[in-house]
């Protein structure tokens, strides 16, 4: 009987200790959530300002101080949250392109059962609409296209390349059906 009582006490104590370790107190959770929420809002403000400035001035002409001022945040918060300008730029481009690519992926999926000519028309209209809705993306692409450096390579490797290959497959399909005569995939 004594041994059973000791075992039960040990089990209940262990469960309470494990529960206490895995669940922070509500005070800690509230503070952590507030700090995390504030940090995320700061990151978002910085990235929105960065996207806008990179699209207007380009990477080389945009300073960290300009970004922080435009975002309305304290000095050095960009470095605190992102480490350096290169990492920050990649985060901005990822935020911008993820939205664009998601929209285009939906369009590609919506058009998969449409006959090739209509599919091309549909996708071209959607690309134009997405570019009009997010004018920062084509501006950045035009600017980065002037420089054959790490930034252009990064955009192509992480975003444009996959989309281009998907579009190339659609054009190859249309060409095979004889509806897209002027396109040659080896010219790209």
């Amino acid at each position: 009987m004594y041994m059973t009582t000791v075992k039960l006490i040990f089990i209940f104590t262990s469960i309470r200790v494990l529960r206490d370790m895995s669940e922070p107190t509500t005070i800690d959770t509230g503070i952590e959530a507030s700090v995390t929420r504030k940090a995320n809002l700061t990151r978002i403000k910085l990235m929105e300002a960065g996207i806008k400035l990179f699209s207007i001035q380009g990477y080389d002409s945009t300073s960290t101080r300009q970004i922080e001022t435009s975002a309305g945040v304290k000095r050095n918060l960009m470095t605190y949250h992102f480490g350096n300008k290169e990492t920050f730029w990649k985060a901005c481009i990822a935020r911008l392109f993820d939205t664009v690519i998601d929209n285009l992926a939906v369009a590609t999926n919506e058009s998969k059962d449409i006959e090739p000519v209509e599919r091309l028309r549909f996708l071209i209209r959607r690309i134009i609409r997405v570019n009009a809705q997010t004018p920062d993306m084509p501006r950045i692409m035009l600017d980065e296209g002037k420089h054959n450096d790490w930034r252009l390579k990064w955009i192509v490797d992480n975003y444009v390349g996959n989309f281009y290959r998907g579009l190339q497959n659609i054009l190859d399909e249309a060409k095979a059906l004889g509806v897209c005569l002027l396109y040659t995939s080896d010219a790209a």
Side-chain angles (χ1 to χ4, degrees), residues 32-44:
E32 279 181 30
S34 175
V35 170
T36 302
R37 209 175 6 257
K38 188 175 179 181
N40 285 338
L41 286 174
T42 299
R43 282 187 203 96
I44 290 168

Side-chain angles (χ1 to χ4, degrees), residues 6 10 30-31 35 50 59 67 84 111 117 120 159 164 170-171 176:
V6 170
F10 176 75
I31 292 170
V35 170
Y59 178 85
I67 294 165
N84 58 44
S111 69
V117 173
L120 284 171
Y159 292 98
Y164 174 78
I170 294 167
L171 290 169

Side-chain angles (χ1 to χ4, degrees), residues 88-122:
F88 174 71
W89 180 86
K90 288 178 180 179
C92 290
I93 298 303
R95 181 177 174 81
L96 177 64
F97 275 72
D98 285 344
T99 303
V100 170
I101 295 299
D102 287 348
N103 285 327
L104 294 177
V106 168
T108 302
N109 194 39
E110 288 173 356
S111 69
K112 67 181 175 187
D113 296 327
I114 300 174
E115 72 82 26
V117 173
E118 285 307 310
R119 185 175 191 197
L120 284 171
R121 286 184 183 140
F122 177 83

Side-chain angles (χ1 to χ4, degrees), residues 2-31:
Y2 173 75
M3 197 56 121
T4 306
T5 307
V6 170
K7 284 181 184 177
L8 285 174
I9 291 172
F10 176 75
I11 290 169
F12 288 129
T13 305
S14 298
I15 290 170
R16 190 176 47 185
V17 167
L18 289 172
R19 187 189 67 224
D20 291 346
M21 286 172 48
S22 65
E23 297 175 9
T25 62
T26 53
I27 295 170
D28 289 342
T29 304
I31 292 170

Side-chain angles (χ1 to χ4, degrees), residues 15 55 71 125 129:
I15 290 170
S55 77
R125 277 195 231 85
R129 187 177 311 133

